[in-house]
């Protein structure tokens, strides 16, 4: 015999099934394509400012030799808009805009220079962009600036994201 076996204590409680497969928490949650790790995340909704942000992000990804993660955050509206419920519960509104954006991006010649993926999320734009950046360990998040009255009243996505993000945020005017 090569070794000595130590007997298990009689009062030991079994915490997990010994036959079950164990996986790290990160791997169990969401396995991202390794080609896009340390890539560039860009928020895109088809607006003029997001198109400028996309153009900058394409150049940045091309210069750094990394992938491009294009994020479209779908609309979520509180049910109080329709039902007058308390407390506000958010529901997903069918958003076919992501499919349209995906088809437009797939046909775009300017995206042939870098590997890219389109990620759809629902919820708060700032939170979702930061979450995707964390999942892909992104080197930067690129967003377009807001030039409207709504951005001035409620605060722009770029401003809120720059205050709370854990990675560099690049705002394209």
């Amino acid at each position: 015999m090569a070794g000595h076996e130590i007997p298990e204590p009689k009062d030991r409680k079994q915490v997990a099934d010994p036959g079950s497969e164990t996986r790290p928490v990160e791997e169990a949650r969401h396995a991202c394509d390794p080609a896009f790790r340390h890539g560039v995340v860009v928020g895109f909704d088809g607006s003029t400012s997001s198109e400028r942000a996309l153009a900058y992000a394409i150049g940045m990804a091309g210069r750094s030799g990394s992938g491009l993660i294009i994020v479209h955050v779908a609309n979520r509206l509180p049910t109080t808009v329709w039902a007058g419920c308390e407390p506000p519960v958010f529901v997903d509104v069918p958003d076919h805009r992501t499919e349209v954006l995906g088809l437009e991006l797939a046909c775009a010649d300017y995206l042939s220079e870098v590997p890219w993926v389109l990620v759809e999320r629902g919820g708060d734009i700032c939170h979702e962009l930061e979450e995707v950046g964390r999942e892909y360990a992104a080197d930067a998040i690129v967003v377009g600036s807001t030039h409207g009255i709504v951005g001035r009243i409620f605060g722009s996505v770029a401003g809120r994201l720059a205050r709370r993000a854990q990675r560099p945020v690049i705002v394209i005017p």
Side-chain angles (χ1 to χ4, degrees):
M1 258 174 41
H4 177 71
E5 286 189 39
I6 301 174
E8 291 288 327
K10 302 248 187 257
D11 61 343
R12 181 175 178 182
K13 294 179 184 176
Q14 185 171 345
V15 178
D17 180 22
S20 71
E21 181 181 316
T22 59
R23 297 185 324 206
V25 175
E26 297 241 344
E27 184 180 284
R29 184 168 181 267
H30 183 338
C32 298
D33 187 341
F36 295 98
R37 303 260 324 144
H38 302 291
V40 178
V41 170
V42 60
F44 185 73
D45 63 1
S47 67
T48 304
S49 63
S50 71
E51 287 177 355
R52 286 193 297 265
L54 178 62
Y56 184 88
I58 291 169
M60 186 176 175
R63 287 186 299 275
S64 65
S66 61
L68 183 65
I69 302 105
I70 304 169
V71 181
H72 177 250
V73 180
N75 295 327
R76 293 183 78 195
L77 296 175
T79 56
T80 55
V81 171
W82 295 303
C85 306
E86 302 253 345
V89 177
F90 288 92
V91 295
D92 289 327
V93 176
D95 189 357
H96 301 291
R97 183 74 182 142
T98 304
E99 293 174 17
V100 172
L101 288 174
L103 290 172
E104 289 174 5
L105 293 170
C107 296
D109 291 334
Y110 53 86
L111 277 171
S112 62
E113 303 167 10
V114 295
W116 62 277
V117 64
L118 177 63
V119 177
E120 178 185 15
R121 293 294 175 95
D124 177 59
I125 297 169
C126 294
H127 173 75
E128 296 303 324
L129 286 172
E130 175 62 23
E131 186 66 20
V132 170
R134 186 190 62 74
E135 289 174 9
Y136 285 91
D139 287 342
I141 300 173
V142 180
V143 292
S145 63
T146 306
H147 295 291
I149 186 79
V150 176
R152 291 186 181 135
I153 294 172
F154 296 109
S156 67
V157 170
R160 289 187 352 224
L161 186 61
R163 284 190 295 275
R164 69 186 272 187
Q166 301 296 313
R167 56 201 22 65
V169 175
I170 301 167
V171 181
I172 306 302

